[in-house]
Amino acid sequence: MAVTRSIRELSDMTGRCVLLAGGTGHIGLVAADALVELGARVAILDRDADACASAVERLGAAAVALPCDLADERDTRAAVHAAAQALGGVDVLVHTAALVGSTERAGWAVPLAEQSVEAWDDALRVNLTSAFVLVQEARSLLAASGRGSVVLFGSIYGLVGPDPALYAGTAMANPVAYGVSKAGVVQLARSLATQLAPSVRVNSISPGGVWRGQPEVFRERYDQRAPLGRMATEEDVKGAVAYLASDLSDYVTGHDLVVDGGWTAW
C-alpha cells in the first residue's frame, strides 16, 4: 500500500530554499510571508537594496537580501548562484517582478499613441525575459533538489484583453506591453514545464485586478463586473503560492492557476 501524507505534511516546506524575484513588491512580500510561514527560507531579489533589507527585517532570520537588477542579464544570473550559496541550494523559484500599470516610467502608462518602444522593451525584459533567465540559470539546482518547483506570475490581461470602459474618465492606463508580457509568462511556464519535466514542475498564477487605492469609479466598475463582487487583495494569492510551491501540487505542472474572482469566467 502506498504511503500517504497528510495535508499538513504536503504543505510543509521546512528546509526548502526559495529564490523570490520581485520580493519587495506588493505580491512579492505576501508570497514571502506565505513561504516563510510554511517553513521555507527565502532569498529576496529586487532592485532596491534598502527595500530588500526592509523585507528581510520584516521576515526575520528565514530571509536573506540579494539586491539584483533583473533588467541586467549578468546580474540576474549571478543572483541565482548567490542565492544558492546563501541558502544552501534552490528548491523553489518564484517570479513576481513586473512593471505594472502604476509604474512611473516615461512612455509606459499613457495612451496607446504615446507608449514607447523603450518602455515596451523594459517591460518585456523585467516581466518576461528575467523569468526565462532565472529559470535557465537555476535549472540544474532545481533539478538536484528533488522537489524543484517554479511559480511564475501572469495576469488576467495575459488571458483576455483589457476593457477600456473600466478606465474611462480616470488617469489610469493599461500599457499594451503589460498584457503581452504576461501572456508570454503563461506560455513560458507551459513550455518550461515540458522541457524541465520530470525533475522540475513549472506553473503560473494569473491574478485579477488587485485593490491598491485606484479611483473609486474604477473600483466600482470592476466590482460590478467580477462575479465575486470585488477586486483582489494580495492576501488572495497566498493560497495559490503555497499550493504551487509545495508538495500539495506534486502532480501539477504546466498549469495556469487563475485567481480572479471569476473575472474570466464570463
Side-chain angles (χ1 to χ4, degrees), residues 167-187:
Y167 303 89
T170 75
M172 298 174 63
N174 193 283
V176 176
Y178 177 77
V180 170
S181 66
K182 289 301 187 177
V185 167
V186 174
Q187 181 57 29

Side-chain angles (χ1 to χ4, degrees), residues 103-138:
T103 300
E104 294 184 2
R105 196 242 184 259
W108 175 241
V110 292
L112 175 59
E114 301 171 30
Q115 293 174 29
S116 70
V117 170
E118 291 80 10
W120 170 285
D121 287 345
D122 286 351
L124 265 65
R125 170 67 68 171
V126 174
N127 297 14
L128 178 57
T129 304
S130 69
F132 167 76
V133 170
L134 285 170
V135 178
Q136 185 185 54
E137 195 68 22

